Amino acid sequence: MDKLIELPTKDLLDKFGLGSHKPGSGSAAALQALLAVQLIRTVIKLSKERDNYRKYLSNFNRIEEDLDNRIYPELLNFFQLDSEQFDKVIKLRKERYDEKNDIKKKKIIENLDDALLQATKTPIAIAKLSVDLAEHALFIFDNGFKSARGDSGVALNNAMSTVSGCLSIINLNLLTLGDDKQVDVIRLESVQLRDSFQEMIIKTTERLDVLEKEVQRNQTYNEDLKSLLLENGERSDLSYDEIEKLVRRVQNFLWRYSDKIFKKTPPENMIDLLNPEIVLTKILGYQFKKSRNLGNHGTEGGTFEIAGIIDKSQKQVTISQHFPKESQNFTAAHELGHVFLHRQTVLHRDRAIDGASMGISREPIELQADKFATFFLLPKKRVKLIFRDLFLSDKFIINEDTVFALTGDRVSTFRRKYRNLRELSRFIAGAGSYDGNQFNSMSKIFNVSVETMAIRLEELELVEFPSIE
C-alpha cells in the first residue's frame, strides 16, 4: 500500500472521497490530529520569537519534545496502520461472505474478530494521543501568542474532533465484537475517553466564551474611544471645567482598559498610565518621534524655537529633545490635547510651554491644549491624595510645626527665604522630605517641572501663605 503521508494533498483527499474503505475514518481522524500538531508547533514558534512569552519557554520546550518524540510519530504510524488494518478487516468480511464451507467460514470469522479487535485498538490509541494533544492545545491557547489563537483554537477543535470521531468508530466496532476480556477493556477505555471528551467540551467552551467576551469588550473599547474623540467641529468653546471632565473620561478609559492597552503587564499605579506617548501610539495609532532639534518657526508675533509638531493628517507627533524631559512630557501631553480637542489636520508647531503662559500671548486653542496637558498629567484627585500622603495634611499652611517638619527652620527664617506663595509652592513641589520621611518630590512623581507642579498646587489650594499680622 502507498504511504499515505507521502501523497500530494489533492491525491490524498481524492482517496478519501473515492467511496473506498481505505483510507477510512480512522486515518481521517489521525490526519486531523497530525494537523493539530503542526498548528501547535506554529504557535509555539511564534510565541518563542516574542519576549512577552519568555516565561513559558520551558513549557513550550516540554510540549515540543512530547510532540516530536511521541505524539507526532505515533500518529503518523497510526495514520497508515489504520488504513492497512481496516483493509484486512474488509477483505476478511468479503471472504466470510463468499466462503460456503462452514468449517472454513468459522475460521475466517475468528480471524475477522481478531482483525477487528486490533483495528479497534488503533482508534483508541489515536484518541488517547489526541486527549494529550488537546491539553497541549489548551495551554498554548491560554499562554501562547495571542494573535495566533485562531491556530491554537483550530488545533484544539481538531484534537477534540479526533476523539469524537474515534469514539464513533470504537462504539460501532463494539456492536459486532463478542464478549471477552479484551473487549471489556476496550469498553472501559471507551467510557474513559468519553469522560475526557466531555471535560474537553467544557474547557473548549470556556475558551470560546473568553474570545467572545474579548470581542464584546473590544467593541465597547472602540465605541468608548470614538465617543472621546472629536466628531463634530472644533471644541474651541469648551470651558476649562469641560476640558477637565473630558480629561477625566480619558483617564478613566486608560484605567478601565489598561489590560487591553498594556497586554500582559498593565501598570498597577494610575500615574504610570498618564503617559501621553502611550495614548498617542497604543490607543490613537500615532507615530511618536523625538528629534534633537526641530528648528525655529516664525509668526506675526515673532520667532520661537519649536518644542513639538503635530500632523494629524499623517498621525504623527514629534517632540524636540532640546528641552528638559519634563518639558518634553508636557509638550507631548499638549499635543495629545490637540488630538482630542481640535480638528485641524495641517502641520502645527508649538513653542515650549510647561504649564504656564509665562506672559506670552497665546491663542485660545493653545491655552486649551495647555489645560488639557495640566489636567492629564496632574489629575486633581491623585495630586491631592499624594500631597496628603507626603505632607500629612490636606493643605500646607505655614506655622512652626509645618515649617520645622519641612526644613527644620523657624518660621521667621523660612519667611526670609521664601517670601510669597509662589516661592513656597516651588519649594514644596520640589521637596524630597517631610517630618523625617524621604520621598521623591511631587514634580518627579508626576514627571513635570517644579514650576508646573507649583502652579497646580496653587490651583488646587493645597498651599497657603498667610500674611504677617
Side-chain angles (χ1 to χ4, degrees):
M1 180 180 289
D2 294 336
K3 285 286 186 182
L4 295 176
I5 198 66
E6 295 175 0
L7 293 175
T9 303
K10 185 177 184 306
D11 291 348
L12 179 61
L13 293 176
D14 286 344
K15 274 187 171 292
F16 277 110
L18 286 175
S20 173
H21 62 272
K22 58 177 184 179
S25 53
S27 293
L31 183 60
Q32 282 187 299
L34 286 167
L35 183 56
V37 170
Q38 300 300 69
L39 288 171
I40 291 174
R41 281 175 172 161
T42 289
V43 180
I44 289 177
K45 185 177 185 300
L46 292 170
S47 302
K48 282 184 170 183
E49 293 172 352
R50 289 159 173 80
D51 291 337
N52 288 349
Y53 303 93
R54 298 291 297 178
K55 62 183 177 180
Y56 299 114
L57 184 58
S58 62
N59 301 91
F60 295 152
N61 290 336
R62 175 182 55 79
I63 291 173
E64 278 187 316
E65 183 178 353
D66 193 30
L67 296 179
D68 295 342
N69 298 335
R70 182 176 70 94
I71 295 179
Y72 187 80
E74 291 188 20
L75 283 172
L76 203 57
N77 175 57
F78 293 134
F79 176 54
Q80 181 72 27
L81 182 61
D82 179 82
S83 184
E84 295 173 357
Q85 287 179 329
F86 201 62
D87 182 50
K88 185 177 180 180
V89 170
I90 295 299
K91 286 179 178 178
L92 286 168
R93 284 177 177 172
K94 188 176 184 305
E95 287 182 28
R96 179 191 62 181
Y97 180 80
D98 294 337
E99 183 57 56
K100 305 303 181 183
N101 185 291
D102 290 341
I103 295 175
K104 290 182 179 180
K105 179 174 285 193
K106 182 178 180 182
K107 183 60 178 178
I108 293 172
I109 291 173
E110 290 175 358
N111 292 336
L112 175 58
D113 287 345
D114 183 65
L116 186 59
L117 184 66
Q118 298 307 314
T120 306
K121 290 180 179 179
T122 296
I124 287 176
I126 294 171
K128 287 181 177 179
L129 289 170
S130 297
V131 169
D132 295 341
L133 188 57
E135 291 297 335
H136 291 330
L138 285 168
F139 182 86
I140 296 302
F141 184 94
D142 291 340
N143 304 295
F145 183 40
K146 293 298 184 186
S147 295
R149 280 179 293 179
D151 295 63
S152 51
V154 171
L156 175 58
N157 282 281
N158 270 19
M160 284 188 58
S161 180
T162 298
V163 177
S164 177
C166 287
L167 282 170
S168 297
I169 298 168
I170 295 163
N171 288 317
L172 183 63
N173 290 351
L174 283 172
L175 291 175
T176 56
L177 284 170
D179 288 324
D180 61 30
K181 289 184 178 180
Q182 291 190 72
V183 175
D184 289 340
V185 171
I186 290 176
R187 289 195 183 98
L188 178 60
E189 288 178 318
S190 175
V191 171
Q192 292 171 340
L193 285 170
R194 178 60 183 261
D195 291 342
S196 298
F197 178 69
Q198 295 291 354
E199 290 177 10
M200 281 192 289
I201 289 177
I202 295 172
K203 292 177 180 179
T204 302
T205 302
E206 288 173 350
R207 270 63 181 184
L208 290 175
D209 288 344
V210 167
L211 275 179
E212 186 174 324
K213 287 178 181 177
E214 286 186 24
V215 170
Q216 293 173 347
R217 193 158 188 263
N218 190 63
Q219 181 179 355
T220 304
Y221 171 92
N222 291 327
E223 291 173 353
D224 288 351
L225 178 59
K226 185 178 180 181
S227 72
L228 290 174
L229 293 169
L230 179 66
E231 293 181 4
N232 299 304
E234 288 281 310
R235 294 186 176 183
S236 56
D237 60 340
L238 288 182
S239 68
Y240 289 164
D241 284 342
E242 289 172 321
I243 293 174
E244 188 170 19
K245 288 179 182 177
L246 171 62
V247 171
R248 281 203 299 270
R249 289 179 59 203
V250 173
Q251 291 164 339
N252 289 336
F253 178 89
L254 289 173
W255 186 253
R256 186 182 310 119
Y257 296 108
S258 62
D259 59 327
K260 177 177 174 61
I261 298 165
F262 294 90
K263 307 301 181 186
K264 285 183 173 287
T265 55
E268 296 181 1
N269 191 327
M270 177 63 183
I271 296 176
D272 294 333
L273 291 172
L274 306 180
N275 186 324
E277 179 180 349
I278 287 174
V279 180
L280 286 164
T281 57
K282 289 184 177 291
I283 299 175
L284 301 176
Y286 271 66
Q287 288 183 300
F288 185 88
K289 299 180 180 179
K290 289 192 175 183
S291 175
R292 285 188 177 182
N293 195 308
L294 294 177
N296 298 318
H297 181 61
T299 66
E300 293 182 0
T303 300
F304 64 85
E305 184 174 357
I306 300 171
I309 297 175
I310 181 171
D311 186 348
K312 293 181 78 172
S313 64
Q314 299 297 318
K315 297 194 76 171
Q316 181 172 302
V317 167
T318 307
I319 303 297
S320 173
Q321 294 177 304
H322 188 252
F323 300 93
K325 289 184 178 180
E326 296 81 7
S327 180
Q328 293 177 40
N329 193 42
F330 193 91
T331 300
H334 175 100
E335 306 301 356
L336 182 63
H338 280 311
V339 174
F340 278 102
L341 295 171
H342 308 125
R343 184 177 284 281
Q344 86 278 355
T345 58
V346 297
L347 200 67
H348 185 75
R349 301 167 180 84
D350 282 307
R351 66 178 76 241
I353 297 293
D354 196 8
S357 64
M358 301 191 306
I360 299 174
S361 176
R362 289 166 64 71
E363 297 178 11
I365 65 170
E366 297 306 308
L367 294 176
Q368 282 187 328
D370 281 348
K371 278 299 179 184
F372 184 100
T374 298
F375 296 145
F376 180 80
L377 297 174
L378 300 166
K380 180 190 300 184
K381 289 184 179 179
R382 190 62 50 176
V383 171
K384 286 184 173 182
L385 179 63
I386 291 178
F387 183 90
R388 180 173 180 79
D389 286 344
L390 299 183
F391 298 103
L392 311 178
S393 175
D394 292 330
K395 177 184 288 191
F396 184 93
I397 302 174
I398 292 179
N399 58 46
E400 292 293 345
D401 292 334
T402 58
V403 168
F404 185 81
L406 184 62
T407 66
D409 291 336
R410 296 178 64 83
V411 171
S412 56
T413 305
F414 186 82
R415 279 182 175 274
R416 285 195 294 271
K417 295 179 182 177
Y418 309 101
R419 296 161 296 179
N420 54 49
L421 178 61
R422 178 55 52 84
E423 291 181 358
L424 170 62
S425 300
R426 290 189 189 118
F427 187 82
I428 292 179
S433 66
Y434 187 78
D435 198 26
N437 296 316
Q438 303 291 320
F439 47 74
N440 286 328
S441 69
M442 293 198 70
S443 62
K444 288 181 179 178
I445 290 173
F446 288 95
N447 193 25
V448 295
S449 69
V450 168
E451 187 72 12
T452 300
M453 191 75 247
I455 293 171
R456 189 59 169 152
L457 293 178
E458 293 175 18
E459 288 177 348
L460 299 178
E461 298 181 348
L462 296 176
V463 289
E464 184 175 321
F465 194 91
S467 59
I468 301 175
E469 297 181 357

